[in-house]
Amino acid sequence: MILRIVALKVCGPRTLDLTFNDGAAKRVDVSPLLEGPIFAPLRKVAYFGKARLDPECGTVVWPNGADFAPETLYELP
């Protein structure tokens, strides 16, 4: 099965509530992933809150093109 995110809620300054297509629901802190210039805007709370679910790709995206693979988010504690 290809892992996809089917539901998303921003619940903190760098925290997401995610539901995956395998039924798993997780709250993840993406702080450890915010390295490099593409992720710099996500360090600002207001910009992080612009996260959206891309139903075609099944992952979380931001207006600047930043995204994370569903598998990466799934593996976060």
Side-chain angles (χ1 to χ4, degrees):
M1 172 192 326
I2 296 173
L3 193 61
R4 298 173 57 82
I5 298 166
V6 295
L8 156 76
K9 180 181 177 188
V10 176
C11 59
R14 290 176 186 81
T15 308
L16 303 170
D17 277 341
L18 304 171
T19 304
F20 295 85
N21 62 336
D22 69 351
K26 298 183 74 170
R27 178 169 285 182
V28 298
D29 178 352
V30 300
S31 296
L33 304 177
L34 300 182
E35 298 291 328
I38 188 79
F39 297 114
L42 279 64
R43 295 183 203 121
K44 296 181 181 175
V45 175
Y47 197 83
F48 187 82
K50 295 181 180 189
R52 297 291 175 260
L53 180 63
D54 181 331
E56 187 174 321
C57 297
T59 197
V60 183
V61 297
W62 282 266
N64 71 338
D67 66 1
F68 298 110
E71 297 82 6
T72 299
L73 297 170
Y74 195 89
E75 294 299 321
L76 286 173

